Structure formats: structure tokens, C-alpha cells
Amino acid sequence: MTQPIQSDALGELRIQIDSLDQQLLSLLNQRAKVAEKVGEIKRAEGSPFFRPDRVAQVIAKIEKANQGPLLNAHVASIWREIMSACLALEAPQRVAVLGPQGTFCEQAAVEFFGSAANLIYCNNFDEVFHATAAGTAQFGVVGMENSTEGVVARSLDLFLRSPVHVIGEVSLLVRHNLLRQTDNLKDIEVVLAHPQALAQCQTWLTQHLPHVERRAVSSNAEGARLAAENPTWAALASERAASQFGLHIVAHAIQDEATNRTRFAVICLPQTLATPPASGKDCTSLVVSVPNKPGAVHDLLMPLKNNGVSMTRFESRPAKSGQWEYYFYIDIQGHISQPHVAAALQELQGLCAFYKVLGSYPIPE
């Protein structure tokens, strides 16, 4: 094969790039050596290795100093990976996620922790909570809410009795693709996906595959794994899953809502990482119940109004114990360290038969 002709100018620029790459590599390894020393001090002091607030501070400082032409979003991604790689030298972080490889949950974990994190793949969110609470994983990532289909009910139920709390959030733009072994829609008998994904794509499925069975599985990536084993099956999953299991993307972005997003919560035991400090843009999540009497729900909301606290989410779930009729899951703007939020929560707690703060944490831009 004939090699393309390279101009002298292009050759000179490539020499410059090669030289800069060597300088970057040297500087990155110098940074890694300092990070190892930081790890030794943290280990001796017993302080946490992973500090999401510190990651945010470093990235914010780098973005402020960035003069281009690199975009801040790209610079932030690069630095998150640098910090993830350095943290892996200090102490690899074990993170439980919904498996197998290729799930949006995995993608959310990589976005939060970087690709150097040691991911532990679980069959369902029950296992993610258990692995995190038992210490098998230091952190876990679970789906909380979808902009099209609402809350992930199982995650809310699991928070009730789990000792973990929320220390961070990831919001992903979720695009579902139809994947299968062959690059066409012919002879598909079954479409497999997580129930949320099936619901989010029901309009497209009804229009294009009206007589095909829709089968719920534990995750979209599990559906992709199964579709890779059967030529008459297809899956709704990410491009990441298509690459992972060697499948064709037969139809791109078939979710009913173009701006379909899912919120993922990052969880851990309080002794692993305490409540992050206030960032200026925070959310506090809690679950409460009130005695079943007239006006009880109205009374529940008054402490928030009286203290100027905005509520961003209010969901009810049946109480399975029978002692109370409903649990209410509430998200409010602000951090528990802020006086008006603390006052509202103290007043609210006095009205509740059950009261639990799930976490106070920064929310993404």
C-alpha cells in the first residue's frame, strides 16, 4: 500500500505534538507520584481517599484557568480521568453497579468516578444496595428517576431500610437503540429490555414491531447479552452495549422523548464518606410518613413554605408494614447545613411518624 505523502509543515507539527506528548506523560507521572504520597498520608490518618467535593474543586479551578481552544466540558472529562487514574494508585475504589457491562448505570459510574474505578457488576439494584451496605463495594450507583417514566420504585423502597446515604448524583441523557445480530427488522420475535426502557420506547415499538413480544429483563445490557445469543431476539440498549456484545444498531434513539434523562444516585455508608459539604447547588432527599388524619399532608408541607425551602420532588409509595398508609419521598433545594433548611427539617421531623434523611449532596449543572 502506498503511503500518503506528508508535507514538511505537517511533519514538523507532528514532531511538536510528539514532543508535547512526552512532556505531558512526564508531568502526569509526576502528578501520580505526588498522589501516591497523598494516599500514604490519608492511609495513616484514616481519612477518605475519594472526595467528590475535592474533585469538583479541582475541575472548577482548571475550567476557570482554561483559555482554550479546548472546551471546558472536554477539559473536565480529561481531568476527571487523570484524577481517577491517580486515585487508583492511592486506593482503587470499588463501585457496585447494575450489570452486565454496557448498562447506563455503568456509564453513570464511569462519569462520576472515572474509568479507573473497580466496577462490581450486580444483577439488580437489590444487590447494589446489599454490596454497598455490606462493604463488598465502597460505593454504589442506582437509578432513581426517569424524566419520562418517573421514579424507579424499587430503589425508593430499598432506601427505607438500608443504612446507606446519597453523596452524589449523575444525570444522563438516555438514548435507547434497537440492537440485534443482523442489521434489519425482519423476523424479530422478542424485544428484551429493562421495564423502564420498554415503557420509554412503547410508541416506536407499537408502530414498528406491533406483534413482537416485549420481555422485561434485569437490565438493558442483560437484554443485549441475550440478544447476542439468539438471532430472533432484539434488545433496547446503549451504543456501549452494542459495542460490548458485537450487535448491530438497527434503529437509533427510539425513545419516545428526545430529551429522555435518568437520574442516578451515588450511595455509600456514612462511615465510608460523610455528607459532602455544601456546594452552593445542592439537593436534600428524605423519606417521611405522617399519621393518617385529615390535613396531614398539608401540615407536612407547611414547614417548607414557612422557611422558604423549595420542593423539587414529592412522591408517595404504599407502606408495606401497614403501620402507616404512605411513605412520602421528598427532594428539596439546599443543604442540611443551611440554617433555613435545618429549621424546616427540624419542624418537619416533629410532625412525622417516620423520618429519614437520605442524603444532602451536590447536583450536576
Side-chain angles (χ1 to χ4, degrees):
M1 181 183 295
T2 304
Q3 294 294 323
I5 298 174
Q6 177 176 287
S7 67
D8 291 341
L10 181 59
E12 178 60 31
L13 291 173
R14 284 177 172 165
I15 290 172
Q16 290 182 41
I17 286 177
D18 289 345
S19 176
L20 289 168
D21 284 345
Q22 291 301 313
Q23 294 176 53
L24 285 171
L25 180 61
S26 177
L27 288 170
L28 287 172
N29 278 313
Q30 288 180 46
R31 189 191 194 284
K33 290 177 181 177
V34 174
E36 286 182 316
K37 293 178 181 178
V38 170
E40 292 172 4
I41 294 173
K42 286 182 176 180
R43 191 172 290 107
E45 294 179 347
S47 55
F49 287 94
F50 178 67
R51 287 270 307 279
D53 57 311
R54 170 62 179 163
V55 174
Q57 288 169 5
V58 170
I59 290 176
K61 189 181 296 184
I62 290 295
E63 287 180 330
K64 187 175 181 180
N66 179 35
Q67 297 181 356
L70 287 176
L71 299 177
N72 270 352
H74 297 158
V75 169
S77 296
I78 292 167
W79 248 261
R80 190 175 299 279
E81 285 300 319
I82 291 171
M83 297 184 77
S84 176
C86 290
L87 181 61
L89 295 174
E90 297 177 32
Q93 301 300 290
R94 303 184 307 278
V95 183
V97 299
L98 181 66
Q101 290 178 302
T103 62
F104 288 110
C105 189
E106 176 195 56
Q107 183 179 336
V110 170
E111 185 167 313
F112 193 85
F113 293 95
S115 59
N118 181 11
L119 302 183
I120 299 171
Y121 296 95
C122 301
N123 292 321
N124 47 55
F125 286 146
D126 295 60
E127 290 187 9
V128 174
F129 272 85
H130 182 268
T132 308
T136 305
Q138 294 152 306
F139 298 91
V141 178
V142 295
M144 286 288 287
E145 183 180 16
N146 177 262
S147 60
T148 304
E149 289 300 308
V151 297
V152 180
R154 186 57 186 162
S155 291
L156 297 189
D157 291 342
L158 289 165
F159 270 116
L160 271 177
R161 295 171 183 83
S162 176
V164 304
H165 69 156
V166 182
I167 55 94
E169 177 185 308
V170 179
S171 177
L172 285 186
L173 183 63
V174 172
R175 292 189 175 96
H176 297 301
N177 308 287
L178 188 75
L179 315 180
R180 68 178 305 205
Q181 288 185 23
T182 53
D183 194 11
N184 58 65
L185 294 175
K186 296 179 181 178
D187 303 319
I188 297 176
E189 297 177 0
V190 178
V191 173
L192 307 106
H194 188 276
Q196 285 262 342
L198 291 172
Q200 291 161 26
C201 300
Q202 57 183 322
T203 299
W204 190 94
L205 292 173
T206 299
Q207 181 179 351
H208 294 88
L209 299 171
H211 305 299
V212 171
E213 177 190 347
R214 303 175 193 179
R215 186 177 301 174
V217 291
S218 60
S219 72
N220 295 339
E222 175 63 11
R225 186 188 69 80
L226 293 170
E229 299 175 353
N230 190 320
T232 65
W233 290 0
L236 302 177
S238 65
E239 292 185 10
R240 191 184 188 99
S243 176
Q244 179 69 34
F245 297 103
L247 295 170
H248 291 280
I249 300 179
V250 182
H252 289 263
I254 64 173
Q255 67 279 353
D256 297 341
E257 299 294 332
T259 56
N260 184 38
R261 302 191 74 89
T262 296
R263 291 174 61 207
F264 292 87
V266 182
I267 60 175
C268 69
L269 290 170
Q271 56 264 40
T272 300
L273 188 66
T275 298
S279 69
K281 189 176 182 182
D282 301 284
C283 174
T284 297
S285 299
L286 57 152
V287 56
V288 302
S289 69
V290 291
N292 186 13
K293 63 180 183 181
V297 175
H298 173 270
D299 295 342
L300 188 66
L301 303 179
M302 290 308 296
L304 304 181
K305 178 182 178 181
N306 293 339
N307 290 279
V309 176
S310 296
M311 181 174 62
T312 58
R313 183 169 66 113
F314 186 86
E315 299 282 347
S316 63
R317 291 283 298 154
K320 298 180 181 180
S321 65
Q323 189 173 357
W324 305 290
E325 190 172 354
Y326 288 100
Y327 289 111
F328 298 99
Y329 293 82
I330 303 172
D331 282 353
I332 60 175
Q333 287 182 354
H335 193 274
I336 55 174
S337 65
Q338 295 176 285
H340 71 297
V341 175
L345 294 183
Q346 184 176 6
E347 187 178 337
L348 177 63
Q349 186 173 4
L351 301 172
C352 296
F354 179 89
Y355 173 91
K356 181 182 181 182
V357 174
L358 302 181
S360 199
Y361 50 93
I363 54 178
E365 297 291 338

